[in-house]
Amino acid sequence: MTQLEAAKQGIITEEMHQVAEDEHIDAEKIREGVEAGHIVIPANKNHRSLHAYGIGEGLRTKMNVNLGVSKDCHDYSVEQEKARLAWRMKAEAIMDLSCYGKTAGFRHWLIENSPAAIGTVPMYDVDGALGKALKDMTADDLFQVVEQHAKDGVDFMTIHAGINREVAGHVMRNKRITNLVSRGGSILFAWMMIKGKENPFYEQYDRLLDICRTYDVTISLGDACRSGCGHDSTDAIQIAELITLGELVVRARKAGVQVMVEGPGHMPLNDIRMNVEVAKKLCHGAPLYVLGPIVTDVAPGYDHITAAIGGTLSAACGADFLCYVTPAEHLRLPDIQDVHEGIVASKIACHAADIVKKVPGAAQWDEEMSWARRRVDFKRMIPLAIDPEKAKAYRESSQPQEEQTCTMCGPKCPMKTLDSILNNRNTDEDPYLK
């Protein structure tokens, strides 16, 4: 029985109890959200090390960390180091986007060790797993890889089922600057063009649902047609695919399979609210997983910032799950420092949005930091920081003469000044106020 099937039968699963405890929400509310399809709990039956997290309406905004090897960078020890960093920084999900060679060993290691949910894009693994060129791949080949990932214990899979032949026609007729920037989507588009056939994941969607139901894999309906630059945002191609995804959401829920929907990539800031609202409307309130959005195309090296800006607004408007972006986006495979910076930027975006959404405990965290600042209590401030190690390093790198100040204000610290004045302390004790 899947999480969705259990919820429909009025059963509160162990995973639902875990989510309720983490979120400080009644477990029955979690069950109701799962039943409605507005919350998903990616939890493959074969992922034994998992700490279950909920994604969706009324919950904390969650974050995904991408990692994995490529043809040019395929040192799995580096990717393991990135995964350990993600776990230490409490990322709720990790996607293995490895697209070169035999990936199974690393995937098995992740699933065996990860408390975070593990996601994959099976299309990335088809050539490495089967040793076939794209023109030689059959529909059965594609489903074979999907089923293997499910058996291995993958909690959620990005499946680009929405780019069918009808949507592909929109791609041909509506010219873009960047065409399709989704790696998985572009591979399926090419397969359809080479073969002259329908997308197998759309044509045999019930077959996909059977696999996912067997292992309780959450489908993340991929946005093959997301915009790859601001110019292409919110066009006919993107909307046509989104309509199809909404239809697939309904079919997945009827089959007892949890489903979320992936959102747009690049777009101007003023397009974000509309896109979130349209996606939620057309996809029947399914949890929305956004890739960015990246709000300007001219900041390579700083795209963790452009994505955090877009991610904050999209989550504040109702998106539920942010995919982190690193400073290396568009330039190279990220290194460990890039991953660290991407995680911090995304965590800031998630938390800033949670304050807007009035998620339980979000504002309280900020208030605790505010009281520590009022008391000029650095020993309390640093552990409360999103990145305590960096906060500590900055504090220790420039020490003031007086411990309860910093080298920005020194004795002119406004917190100390107002504390003395408002509490009627003897100003003669403070050299600055004499």
Side-chain angles (χ1 to χ4, degrees):
M1 189 160 46
T2 66
Q3 296 291 325
L4 179 52
E5 289 172 326
K8 286 179 177 179
Q9 293 186 31
I11 298 170
I12 298 176
T13 65
E14 181 181 339
E15 290 79 10
M16 293 177 201
H17 280 295
Q18 179 69 74
V19 172
E21 182 180 342
D22 287 350
E23 302 282 347
H24 308 291
I25 294 174
D26 184 75
E28 175 60 18
K29 291 288 186 183
I30 302 299
R31 187 204 64 77
E32 290 173 357
V34 173
E35 180 182 15
H38 299 164
I39 292 174
V40 296
I41 305 175
N44 188 307
K45 297 174 182 179
N46 293 336
H47 187 176
R48 309 301 182 192
S49 61
L50 177 69
H51 178 107
Y53 291 103
I55 300 169
E57 188 176 85
L59 308 183
R60 287 185 299 107
T61 307
K62 304 306 188 299
M63 175 189 61
N64 172 68
V65 171
N66 288 338
L67 43 78
V69 301
S70 67
K71 183 177 181 180
D72 294 302
C73 301
H74 48 267
D75 184 345
Y76 276 116
S77 66
V78 175
E79 302 312 301
Q80 289 177 335
E81 185 181 0
K82 294 176 186 176
R84 292 187 184 99
L85 173 64
W87 298 330
R88 287 198 304 274
M89 298 188 74
K90 301 189 185 308
E92 292 89 3
I94 291 175
M95 289 198 78
D96 175 18
L97 303 188
S98 295
C99 59
Y100 174 75
K102 301 298 182 182
T103 65
F106 180 54
R107 185 167 63 253
H108 295 162
W109 179 85
L110 276 174
I111 293 164
E112 182 179 349
N113 292 282
S114 179
I118 298 298
T120 60
V121 187
M123 282 302 299
Y124 296 177
D125 192 33
V126 173
D127 58 342
L130 303 177
K132 289 186 176 183
L134 188 63
K135 65 181 179 62
D136 298 321
M137 292 177 194
T138 66
D140 287 344
D141 290 332
L142 304 187
F143 280 100
Q144 178 184 332
V145 175
V146 168
E147 186 155 16
Q148 186 58 60
H149 282 220
K151 285 181 179 178
D152 288 344
V154 169
D155 301 294
F156 65 101
M157 295 184 199
T158 292
I159 305 288
H160 298 91
I163 183 165
N164 57 15
R165 288 178 68 83
E166 180 182 350
V167 173
H170 287 281
V171 176
M172 302 295 287
R173 294 189 298 272
N174 296 272
K175 301 305 179 183
R176 286 176 159 186
I177 292 177
T178 53
N179 294 315
L180 298 183
V181 298
S182 161
R183 189 192 308 167
S186 66
I187 294 170
L188 273 169
F189 181 85
W191 188 92
M192 287 190 288
M193 295 299 105
I194 291 169
K195 296 283 193 177
K197 294 183 177 181
E198 181 59 275
N199 177 350
F201 296 127
Y202 178 80
E203 187 175 45
Q204 301 182 50
Y205 190 59
D206 289 338
R207 182 178 179 182
L208 174 68
L209 294 176
D210 286 343
I211 294 170
C212 293
R213 181 181 176 278
T214 298
Y215 300 94
D216 201 0
V217 174
T218 299
I219 297 177
S220 184
L221 288 170
D223 52 343
C225 299
R226 68 178 182 268
S227 50
C229 65
H231 174 275
D232 297 339
S233 171
T234 326
D235 63 1
I237 302 171
Q238 178 189 329
I239 298 302
E241 182 187 33
L242 194 60
I243 292 170
T244 303
L245 295 182
E247 296 167 354
L248 297 176
V249 165
V250 173
R251 290 175 61 186
R253 288 174 177 170
K254 286 182 178 178
V257 175
Q258 298 186 99
V259 60
M260 57 186 171
V261 173
E262 295 185 11
H266 294 235
M267 63 178 46
L269 201 65
N270 57 303
D271 274 8
I272 290 176
R273 178 177 292 277
M274 171 184 59
N275 270 267
V276 171
E277 291 176 353
V278 169
K280 284 283 187 174
K281 180 72 173 178
L282 292 179
C283 296
H284 312 283
L288 182 60
Y289 176 20
V290 294
L291 314 175
I294 290 177
V295 296
T296 178
D297 298 320
V298 297
Y302 298 92
D303 275 325
H304 59 313
I305 297 175
T306 63
I309 294 168
T312 301
L313 180 55
S314 59
C317 293
D320 308 286
F321 192 21
L322 304 186
C323 187
Y324 93 148
V325 172
T326 77
E329 185 79 5
H330 303 111
L331 301 171
R332 62 169 169 83
L333 195 76
D335 63 19
I336 191 71
Q337 184 57 37
D338 297 325
V339 171
H340 182 272
E341 292 185 33
I343 290 173
V344 171
S346 188
K347 284 174 74 73
I348 293 170
C350 289
H351 180 63
D354 287 348
I355 295 172
V356 176
K357 292 192 286 191
K358 300 188 184 303
V359 170
Q364 181 182 351
W365 184 6
D366 280 59
E367 288 175 10
E368 288 182 35
M369 177 65 84
S370 298
W371 280 108
R373 284 180 173 152
R374 174 171 170 170
R375 297 176 181 121
V376 200
D377 184 355
F378 291 97
K379 290 182 179 179
R380 180 62 180 149
M381 281 185 239
I382 289 171
L384 284 169
I386 276 183
D387 187 358
E389 291 182 9
K390 187 168 187 177
K392 182 180 179 182
Y394 270 108
R395 173 66 178 168
E396 292 179 348
S397 69
S398 183
Q399 290 290 325
Q401 289 183 346
E402 297 180 31
E403 184 178 351
Q404 276 194 299
T405 62
C406 73
T407 54
M408 172 70 78
C409 297
K412 295 180 175 62
C413 173
M415 298 298 185
K416 296 189 70 176
T417 298
L418 266 291
D419 186 55
S420 294
I421 296 296
L422 295 176
N423 288 287
N424 298 314
R425 290 185 181 154
N426 186 351
T427 56
D428 290 339
E429 296 176 1
D430 189 331
Y432 176 60
L433 296 176
K434 281 184 177 180

